[in-house]
Amino acid sequence: VTMSLSNLEQGDHAAIVTTVAAYIFFAAFMHWTDKDFEWFTAHRHAFLSKKTVPNYSIFLSGLPPDMQTDTAVKEYFVNCFSRDDVVADVHVALLIPNLEKKVAKRDKLVPKLEHAINVLTIKGVTPTHRTIMLETVESVPTYSKEIEDFNEEISRDIDRIEAMRNRNESGGGQGTLLEEDIEAAGEEEDRQLLATETMSEVQALTEEGERK
């Protein structure tokens, strides 16, 4: 290798040129790095000054039980800054995997229903499929009924969650909103509904017997 400092003779002036070039490159690199930081800082501040939601949002984790409500978090920051308008909105996310599973199952049924409707509309053939019990059923009414049932369950669960959140916000809860509590409340509500329906059926049968 001829293009190397190891091939220079003792006292060769080429070593000086190489050293000067190295310092020039290093100085240029530091200069442009400094300019790049100036450019980045100016543009970063300009971007963060825009009134967009991400620029004024913060994420909190590890909240204690007594802080796991929208009102509690908002009051905390209002007290920290001593201003009522410092917090625009607060939303405490819930860990609700069972509800998310129901939504995922419903979403998987939607393309199946759309495909079945397309087959029925375009080809004029009634699409069918086998259930878990190996029973052959018509796809369109079956998928429609399953989606309708999931919609009712999901709406019911959301109503229960909102009711329990409102109860916690008003001070009637313990702060932490667990999915087990939501399901327990839902089961109790279903039992009460079943008992009401049973009583209505018994009353109707009694009235019919009396008329006879």
Side-chain angles (χ1 to χ4, degrees):
V1 180
T2 57
M3 301 295 293
S4 169
L5 289 177
S6 61
N7 290 321
L8 296 179
E9 297 180 359
Q10 190 71 21
D12 195 326
H13 296 295
I16 300 176
V17 175
T18 303
T19 303
V20 171
Y23 274 103
I24 291 175
F25 276 110
F26 177 76
F29 173 79
M30 295 302 296
H31 171 74
W32 291 115
T33 300
D34 180 65
K35 290 296 182 181
D36 186 66
F37 272 109
E38 291 181 3
W39 175 88
F40 173 79
T41 302
H43 285 77
R44 182 63 176 169
H45 287 175
F47 174 78
L48 293 178
S49 298
K50 295 180 180 179
K51 293 184 178 181
T52 58
V53 174
N55 290 343
Y56 293 90
S57 300
I58 60 174
F59 173 79
L60 303 176
S61 62
L63 294 174
D66 58 340
M67 286 282 293
Q68 294 180 4
T69 62
D70 299 346
T71 303
V73 175
K74 185 173 184 177
E75 289 179 351
Y76 174 80
F77 283 100
V78 168
N79 292 332
C80 286
F81 294 96
S82 301
R83 288 178 55 186
D84 294 335
D85 60 344
V86 70
V87 180
D89 188 26
V90 176
H91 181 73
V92 177
L94 303 178
L95 184 62
I96 44 178
N98 291 336
L99 178 58
E100 292 174 354
K101 288 179 182 178
K102 292 179 182 179
V103 174
K105 290 180 180 178
R106 182 192 62 182
D107 293 343
K108 288 182 179 179
L109 288 174
V110 172
K112 293 181 180 180
L113 175 60
E114 293 175 347
H115 175 71
I117 293 174
N118 286 336
V119 171
L120 178 62
T121 303
I122 297 174
K123 295 184 178 181
V125 179
T126 301
T128 60
H129 68 276
R130 287 183 177 272
T131 63
I132 300 178
M133 304 302 295
L134 300 179
E135 179 184 1
T136 302
V137 297
E138 293 185 10
S139 299
V140 174
T142 302
Y143 288 144
S144 299
K145 183 63 170 59
E146 291 179 5
I147 292 175
E148 182 180 352
D149 292 341
F150 272 121
N151 286 337
E152 291 179 358
E153 290 183 23
I154 292 170
S155 297
R156 208 160 44 236
D157 289 347
I158 292 175
D159 291 340
R160 290 166 184 161
I161 292 172
E162 291 299 327
M164 296 189 72
R165 283 174 65 94
N166 293 334
R167 188 189 67 183
N168 284 355
E169 291 292 337
S170 61
Q174 298 178 352
T176 306
L177 188 59
L178 302 176
E179 193 169 36
E180 291 80 0
D181 299 332
I182 299 170
E183 292 179 350
E187 292 174 357
E188 179 63 25
E189 182 180 332
D190 292 339
R191 283 194 294 268
Q192 293 177 359
L193 181 61
L194 180 61
T196 302
E197 293 176 350
T198 304
M199 290 297 295
S200 299
E201 292 177 1
V202 171
Q203 184 178 1
L205 291 174
T206 303
E207 292 176 354
E208 183 180 353
E210 291 177 352
R211 284 196 298 269
K212 291 181 179 179

